[in-house]
Amino acid sequence: TLSPTGASAPGGELGQLSQDSVTQGKVGEVLDLIAGPESGGRYDAVYPGRRRPQILDMTIDELVPDMRARGRASGSSASGRYQYIRTTLLDVVGGMGLDTATTKFDPETQDKIAIYHLRRNHGLDNWLEGRMSDGAFLNRLAGTWAGIPQTNGRSRYAGVLDNKAGMGAQAALQGLDAIRATA
């Protein structure tokens, strides 16, 4: 994951400003909760804590070799607002049936990918409808996103690269509760 507190400096480091999701409503708020510790909310974020605006104009097919090269250089191919690694991105995009030759990795596509993934693998709709607890949903999110804590407060990926939870478990649970409680 990326640190949302990287210095805003030449060289492409992430700044402190967060960028809201292009998706509105409760789903957009869930995306914002994930993106905060993952990328500081930046759609052009790449590991390790850098910005790479070029990825927003790349097709998925163009992004994959870029991810592979960055992964070899830095140890992680994490890209975009939700810091997808190459293998996970390809799995989710394949399930969606996107045309990877023409689909750009722009903000709208990044949100669509994350929403599909949240619905398919994390129980987003069950959680929104109250059929899954905040704790169970949080633990499912933590299974994908290193910046999201498990209910025990630790990142599932602590010790891998520089991964750690980017918020406390109580803050994450309170955030989920507040999202679900909004009208």
Side-chain angles (χ1 to χ4, degrees), residues 46-47 52 55 58 60-79 84-87 89-90:
V46 296
Y47 183 85
R52 185 162 165 71
I55 68 172
M58 291 180 184
I60 305 291
D61 282 354
E62 293 166 336
L63 179 66
V64 168
D66 183 76
M67 292 174 90
R68 187 175 287 118
R70 284 186 290 103
R72 278 195 295 266
S74 71
S76 175
S77 61
S79 301
Y84 277 104
I85 60 171
R86 185 173 46 84
T87 53
L89 179 69
L90 289 172

Side-chain angles (χ1 to χ4, degrees), residues 15 37 61 73 85 88 92 112 121 123 125 136 152 168 177:
D61 282 354
I85 60 171
T88 303
V92 176
K112 286 178 189 172
N121 294 79
D125 295 320
N152 68 11
D177 183 60

Side-chain angles (χ1 to χ4, degrees), residues 7-41:
S8 183
E13 291 205 15
L14 291 178
Q16 294 223 8
L17 295 175
S18 184
Q19 180 178 6
D20 287 339
S21 169
V22 296
T23 301
Q24 301 300 303
K26 292 181 183 190
V27 173
E29 291 178 45
V30 171
L31 294 176
D32 290 343
L33 181 89
I34 294 166
E38 288 295 321
S39 66

